[in-house]
Structure formats: structure tokens, C-alpha cells
Amino acid sequence: MLELRQLSRNFGGVKALDQLDLSVHKGEILGLIGPNGSGKSTTVNVIAGLYKPSSGSLTFNGIDLSQRSTHERAAVGIARTFQNIRLFANLSVWQNVWAAHVVRDSGWTGLRKRWLASGRTARDEVQELLAFSGLAGKADVLAGNLAFGEQRRLELARAAASGAELLLLDEPAAGMNAEEIDELDARIRSLRDQGRTILLIEHHMELVMAVCDRIAVLNFGRKIAEGTPAQVQNDAAVRGAYLGAEATATT
Amino acid sequence: MDFYLGLAQVIGVHTLLGLSAWCLLHTGQVSLAQGGFFAIGAYASGMLTTMAGWPLGVALPAAALISATVAVAVGFPALRVKGLMLVVATVAFAEIVRLVCFNLTWRVNTGSGPVGPDGSLGFGGIRYFPSNGWSSIEILILIWGLVAAVMLALAWFDRSRIGTLWRAVGEDEVAAQSVGINLTAAKVSAFGIGGAIAGLSGGIFAHQVTHIEHGNFTILLATFAIAYPILGGLASLWGTVLAVIFIQGFLIEGLRVLGDWRSLLFGALILLVMLLRPSGIITSPIGRWFARSIRFDRPAAPTTGGKTHA
């Protein structure tokens, strides 16, 4: 579904991504892990269109993404959450999700579609997503006034509302407690069961190991391992990257 | 009595001007070009009624359309800059418009002598209202009828999907793009609609005062335009109206006795409001009560409950 080929991204002399090859298959939950500064967030930003790759190719369902702007990538089916939450703080919870939902039926075809459907379905779907995120009772609350965990849930609901096939989740568990992480686990699985594909970037290893079908490991912008959670856990290069070379030698 | 009628007319015209800046502020753009669009609307409509002999009912929409076209043209390059640089760019545009007004001389002969813009002497004789026998009250009704129509349209617009998308862009451009909102479309459409409203207010202004000149369209006018919605807050259209009444009615006219000290007080009050109520006066308890009691401009609030099934 999503293919990164020989993708590089330099910031000045720093190679944030160095000839990265990565495939995300339809319907899977792919984990992307690695130590701090290994290029995980850069990968998301390149896929979402906030950064242009320095070289390499990027295709989504056969579409070359390199010529597409950020909002066009959302239109072809890629949505994301942000590591540091970026909600529309002075809009209500409902409007946050609604904005992401309605933007896909803008333009003439959307106008005709809405005319025929008289706008009912959009409202129902937004309401369902809010219920799914446990925010149904807070529809009128301003997003900026939500508790931290609720803001993360709202961001996920907003990304899902855009109708995207591929969700890029950039550290969705950061700052969450154990109970919230369990809920997140269930939500990610549920989104996958609805037919979405998920690229999960996360530092919380328990969540990654539990929820992901496959995991890719980055270090210094290169992919050092890829495989099932069990394979990755036992990979010498991965242990080296996380624990240091000496630890690898002794284990 | 005439004084109060005149003041109510000025407040109406400035409310329209403030609403035009309100549109742009929604998408997070601080534009000081509104005075320029206002000037274009004023000159265009004045020239259409005096030189071309058009009726006002046709000249006003035409002026709004001309201003909107120019605003869209300004909107595209303005996309490249934001924040302070946008302020600088739009100030430059407004100054260009003012200087064009200063230098524009185009006189044509009609039955009652030459009319048209006369360079630095300004553009006088825009006498559509007096020569068609409009009384001050009738002009006032026309102005506030237009204010009401624009407010109703904007209130509907704010609740509609496009209004929500505008607000989303104003809140966070990166997040807005990543959910699929086209920044260019959102910002340029805000420029276009804001430009049309500014052009409309300029057109009314030209006919209300009958003589316009470059000095009407200085940076002070643009500052007023942006001060109204900032002072009034973006939460409600009524905030802008209240801010115009406060600034034009109280600060400008009510404190005339203070002479030059007025300008000082004006600046101090704006600062005070920004410090005490950073999101505008309408968010204060009184403002909220006022907005609640007049329901039509509330942002889209869904009916919760009933259909909550996961």
C-alpha cells in the first residue's frame, strides 16, 4: 500500500533518513521503533508531506506522493496524529472531528453528494467516532479544555474522520497511564478491524509488541531490522541499538 | 438629532469594515489591506454612479465584486507570508491604493458639469442620495439593512462547513493541512469574501459622505478595521458590532471633549483590553450573556444524545 524506496532526508549535514526502504501492507499494524533521533518522526513527516524527501521515491496505492501537497495526501487517504498534540484548540470537540470529515466532500461532487444525502450521514459518522473515542458526552467542550488523554483520543478521532485508509500515529501513548494505554491498544485494533492500515510510532514497547503485526527498527536513519515482534526482540542489532554494543556482546 | 443619525451611519459603515477583517482573522490572517479594499469600493462605486450613471443598487454589488477580485489577487501572494510579514505586505498594498487615489484624475463631462476623481483634491459630487431625494433616515435604514444582511450571511457561513474549515486553518495550519484542508482555498476565499464586504462598506461610505479623498483611507482606517474584531473577539459577530459602538460612539465621539488626549486613551484602552481579555470583550460574562440571548450567530453546535451508538 505504502512504499518507501531508497528514501533519504538530510538536514544540513545530518542524514535524518538514509536510504530507507519500507513497505506498509494493507490491513496491517506496522510498528516503527528506534532510539531517540533515529528518524521515526522524520519518516512520518515525509510521508505526510511536511518534509520533502532529499532523494528516493514514495508511492501510495500506486500514486506518486512526491508531487502531492499535504492536503492532497490526506485526500488520497493518509491521515496522522502529532507527537505534540495539534488540535483546533478553540473549536469544539465536535467541530474538530467534523472539520476533518466534511473537508472530503468539499467541491462540486461533494456538494451534489451532500444535496442527495441531505447531510445526515456526516453528522452520524462524527457522532459514532466521538462515541468510539469516549468523547460523546463532551461534543460541545472546546478541544483546548480537554484533559490530556482526551486530547489524544480526539486527535485519533479526527484522523479517523478524514476517512483515511492509512493512519500514521506518532507516539499516541506518550504521557498516558497504563489504563489509557490498554484503551488505546483496543482502539488501534478496532480501527484495523474496520479496514484501516496503521503505522504506529511508539516508544512504549509493551504496546508495540502487543499490538503490531510487524515491526521495523530504525537507528541513525537506517532500517536495522524488520520482522514480527518476536524476531525483532531477539535481533542482535536491535539490542545493540537500544542497549549499546557492550550489552550485545555479553548477551 | 442629525448628529446621532450621522453617528449611527458611521457605526454601520465601520461595522461592515470590521466584519471584513473578521473574515480574514478567522483564517489567522492579520490584514491591514482592508482599508485598501474599502477605498477601491468607494472609488469604484462613486465612479459608477456619477460617471457611468448607474443606479446605486447595481453600483454597490459591482464595487463589492471589483474589491473581491482585487482581494483575491492580493490573497495569492499573501499566502507566502504570514504573521508580521503579512501585516507589512498588506500595509504596502493599502498605501499603493491610497497613492493611486491621490494621483487618479479622470474627469468626464455630464449634464451638470465635470465629475470624477480629481487627484489630490479628491472625488466629490457623489450625490446619488441627495439627487434622488433620500433622507438621512432612509440612508441609515439602507446601511443597517446591509449590516444585517452581511451579519446573517456570515452567521450562516460561520456555522457552515466552510466557516469551520476557516476556523480550523486559523487555529493550526499544519493540523488543518494534514486533515485535508486546502490552505490556499481557505485563505484566498477569506480574502475574497472579506474584500467584497470591505468594498461594499466603502461604496456606502462614498455615497454617505459624497466627497472622498486619499486621506480617508490611511493606515488609521486599516487599524480600526482590524481593531474591531480583535477587541470584540472572534467568538461572535456581535463582538465586532459592540467594539465599533465602543470605539466610534464612545472613544471617538463621546470623548471629543478630551481633545488630543483621546488618541492616547484609545491606545491605552486597546492595550488594556488585550491584557485583560486576550480573546476579546465578547468572551466576558456580559458578552457571553449578550451572545447567548441573541442566538443566531452561535458556532455550529450539534444536537448531542439520541444517536450515540458505538
Side-chain angles (χ1 to χ4, degrees):
Chain A
M1 163 182 251
L2 180 73
E3 303 284 341
L4 280 61
R5 288 284 162 263
Q6 297 290 305
L7 200 76
S8 298
R9 166 72 206 197
N10 306 328
F11 292 104
V14 180
K15 286 182 178 172
L17 288 180
D18 190 5
Q19 303 198 321
L20 177 67
D21 284 307
L22 188 70
S23 300
V24 185
H25 307 311
K26 189 168 173 53
E28 75 173 346
I29 302 176
L30 175 65
L32 187 60
I33 62 172
N36 285 327
S38 58
K40 304 184 296 296
S41 286
T42 307
T43 309
V44 170
N45 286 333
V46 168
I47 298 171
L50 293 186
Y51 298 157
K52 282 198 191 314
S54 306
S55 64
S57 76
L58 184 61
T59 57
F60 179 72
N61 287 338
I63 304 166
D64 178 12
L65 287 184
S66 60
Q67 299 306 317
R68 306 268 177 154
S69 60
T70 302
H71 74 266
E72 288 171 333
R73 294 186 198 200
V76 298
I78 301 174
R80 67 169 297 179
T81 65
F82 292 85
Q83 191 177 342
N84 44 349
I85 305 174
R86 302 188 80 139
L87 290 168
F88 307 130
N90 289 313
L91 262 59
S92 71
V93 165
W94 199 85
Q95 286 173 318
N96 265 270
V97 180
W98 198 59
H101 192 289
V102 295
V103 70
R104 47 177 160 143
D105 333 314
S106 49
W108 289 114
T109 49
L111 199 65
R112 190 169 155 273
K113 202 167 94 192
R114 287 204 306 278
W115 197 261
L116 298 174
S118 48
R120 291 291 305 163
T121 49
R123 285 181 178 266
D124 290 346
E125 280 179 44
V126 169
Q127 207 62 51
E128 274 168 34
L129 274 166
L130 288 183
F132 169 72
S133 311
L135 293 166
K138 303 221 165 186
D140 286 332
V141 178
L142 290 188
N145 293 345
L146 290 178
F148 179 80
E150 293 171 329
Q151 294 198 355
R152 285 239 180 260
R153 301 206 301 262
L154 177 55
E155 227 194 3
L156 186 59
R158 185 180 67 183
S162 67
E165 283 178 74
L166 174 64
L167 297 175
L168 312 171
L169 309 184
D170 196 353
E171 301 202 19
M176 282 189 167
N177 62 32
E179 194 187 329
E180 287 172 326
I181 289 176
D182 284 347
E183 286 177 21
L184 176 65
D185 181 313
R187 270 195 197 98
I188 292 175
R189 286 169 200 271
S190 167
L191 283 169
R192 193 259 308 269
D193 294 344
Q194 291 164 21
R196 319 253 193 177
T197 306
I198 287 152
L199 178 61
L200 174 68
I201 287 170
E202 191 46 70
H203 274 303
H204 195 280
M205 285 307 147
E206 264 175 62
L207 174 67
V208 173
M209 295 302 164
V211 82
C212 291
D213 302 312
R214 287 194 308 130
I215 294 173
V217 189
L218 295 186
N219 197 19
F220 296 113
R222 287 173 171 275
K223 187 169 72 180
I224 56 169
E226 187 172 3
T228 63
Q231 287 169 342
V232 165
Q233 267 175 308
N234 294 317
D235 190 287
V238 175
R239 289 175 162 246
Y242 270 94
L243 303 173
E246 282 174 45
T248 327
T250 53
T251 47
Chain B
M1 189 61 199
D2 270 353
F3 168 77
Y4 290 105
L5 282 180
L7 181 60
Q9 288 173 354
V10 169
I11 288 174
V13 167
H14 278 247
T15 299
L16 286 175
L17 183 63
L19 292 174
S20 83
W22 184 89
C23 291
L24 281 143
L25 274 179
H26 255 47
T27 57
Q29 301 180 100
V30 177
S31 156
L32 287 181
Q34 301 315 105
F37 303 142
F38 182 88
I40 291 169
Y43 267 80
S45 70
M47 286 160 79
L48 286 173
T49 55
T50 57
M51 295 158 72
W54 288 21
L56 189 66
V58 185
L60 272 185
L65 197 66
I66 292 167
S67 287
T69 311
V70 176
V72 165
V74 171
F76 275 102
L79 281 174
R80 303 228 159 251
V81 290
K82 45 184 165 183
L84 266 183
M85 296 314 287
L86 179 62
V87 172
V88 173
T90 49
V91 164
F93 167 77
E95 271 301 286
I96 291 171
V97 173
R98 189 182 67 79
L99 289 171
V100 168
C101 294
F102 184 75
N103 288 296
L104 182 66
T105 306
W106 184 11
R107 309 280 283 170
V108 295
N109 272 306
T110 59
S112 52
V115 289
D118 194 5
S120 59
L121 295 175
F123 178 11
I126 310 171
R127 302 189 55 81
Y128 183 87
F129 284 141
S131 49
N132 286 280
W134 286 58
S135 68
S136 293
I137 293 273
E138 283 165 336
I139 299 171
L140 185 68
I141 291 169
L142 172 70
I143 291 175
W144 280 94
L146 286 173
V147 172
V150 168
M151 281 181 74
L152 271 170
L154 285 181
W156 169 80
F157 190 77
D158 196 24
R159 296 172 55 139
S160 77
R161 59 196 62 224
I162 302 171
T164 308
L165 300 185
W166 273 12
R167 280 180 185 260
V169 168
E171 288 287 324
D172 189 325
E173 291 187 7
V174 173
Q177 278 178 299
S178 65
V179 299
I181 298 174
N182 184 338
L183 280 192
T184 307
K187 288 184 163 187
V188 172
S189 66
F191 255 100
I193 292 177
I197 298 171
L200 186 68
S201 64
I204 276 285
F205 168 78
H207 289 83
Q208 179 222 338
V209 299
T210 72
H211 177 96
I212 54 177
E213 56 175 30
H214 72 99
N216 297 125
F217 312 116
T218 56
I219 193 76
L220 183 69
L221 183 73
T223 315
F224 275 139
I226 206 77
Y228 301 136
I230 287 178
L231 199 65
L234 291 181
S236 164
L237 292 162
W238 291 105
T240 302
V241 183
L242 288 182
V244 176
I245 293 173
F246 177 68
I247 291 180
Q248 289 297 330
F250 177 67
L251 286 185
I252 305 288
E253 291 303 331
L255 300 180
R256 208 171 266 287
V257 284
L258 294 180
D260 287 345
W261 289 94
R262 209 170 40 161
S263 322
L264 193 70
L265 194 70
F266 177 66
L269 266 165
I270 296 268
L271 268 180
L272 202 67
V273 170
M274 299 306 281
L275 283 173
L276 296 177
R277 301 228 70 88
S279 30
I281 43 179
I282 203 75
T283 57
S284 67
I286 301 166
R288 267 203 297 276
W289 170 82
F290 190 69
R292 236 198 328 272
S293 48
I294 307 160
R295 296 287 291 246
F296 78 84
D297 68 347
R298 290 195 51 201
T303 48
T304 41
K307 325 182 281 269
T308 50
H309 47 87

